[in-house]
Amino acid sequence: MIDLLQLCAFNAAYARAIDSDALETWAAFFTEDCHYRITNAENERDGLPAGIVYADSRAMLEDRVASLRQANIYERQAYRHLLGVPLVESADDTQAVARTPFFVARIMHTGETALFATGEYRDRFVKSGGKLLLAERVAVCDSTVTDTLLALPL
């Protein structure tokens, strides 16, 4: 049975990968045919499928990281995730569905820190080869206003 402690440990490692700038390890948290999307609560409520960020495979996530490292130009920054306890909606030995609230602070190269995003992850986890992976993560941001520079994954 996938349990709450496993989900908390997974989310902690996920946030650590982003917050420590180990973005090359980030895509490995997902299945090959995953769905990753960042949207806002209003669009999600209205059933609008497009997101601020949309990917439907691990390869697309790896490409996003490669673009961040090699092609995109953006002001140097880092995130600090604060994650709540997942609300487990269903779980068995092979999969789990959960929602986890998040706060993300953005730390700019100048040292300025600001609250960047709040919301919840709506996740579908699967166990593959004994390892927990995300088959789907939809990061639903509370605000309809998104900074034009959403450089790093949430």
Side-chain angles (χ1 to χ4, degrees):
M1 173 76 89
I2 298 171
D3 63 22
L4 181 61
L5 185 58
Q6 289 174 307
L7 299 178
C8 288
F10 180 95
N11 282 335
Y14 176 97
R16 175 80 177 138
I18 297 170
D19 295 350
S20 67
D21 195 34
L23 296 177
E24 285 73 12
T25 66
W26 169 66
F29 287 89
F30 293 86
T31 61
E32 290 290 335
D33 59 347
C34 66
H35 173 88
Y36 175 76
R37 185 166 47 101
I38 300 173
T39 188
N40 64 55
E42 185 177 309
N43 285 348
E44 193 69 4
R45 183 191 62 233
D46 293 343
L48 301 175
I52 301 162
V53 173
Y54 184 97
D56 61 6
S57 70
R58 183 189 295 169
M60 288 180 72
L61 300 177
E62 291 166 346
D63 184 60
R64 180 171 176 80
V65 171
S67 295
L68 286 170
R69 297 293 196 210
Q70 300 167 14
N72 296 352
I73 298 172
Y74 60 96
E75 200 170 0
R76 191 167 50 89
Q77 59 190 267
Y79 287 168
R80 173 67 62 201
H81 284 73
L82 294 176
L83 304 177
V85 176
L87 172 65
V88 181
E89 296 180 339
S90 66
D92 60 26
D93 290 339
T94 61
Q95 60 182 350
V97 174
R99 295 175 180 230
T100 304
F102 66 81
F103 275 54
V104 177
R106 182 170 63 180
I107 304 93
M108 301 305 294
H109 70 95
T110 60
E112 178 186 355
T113 300
L115 180 60
F116 180 64
T118 64
E120 73 175 3
Y121 294 132
R122 297 179 183 179
D123 298 325
R124 186 168 55 86
F125 294 90
V126 295
K127 215 164 208 176
S128 177
K131 186 176 178 182
L132 199 57
L133 296 171
L134 282 165
E136 179 175 302
R137 171 158 279 181
V138 179
V140 180
C141 297
D142 295 323
S143 176
T144 57
V145 178
T146 302
D147 193 305
T148 57
L149 183 60
L150 184 58
L152 305 177
L154 288 178

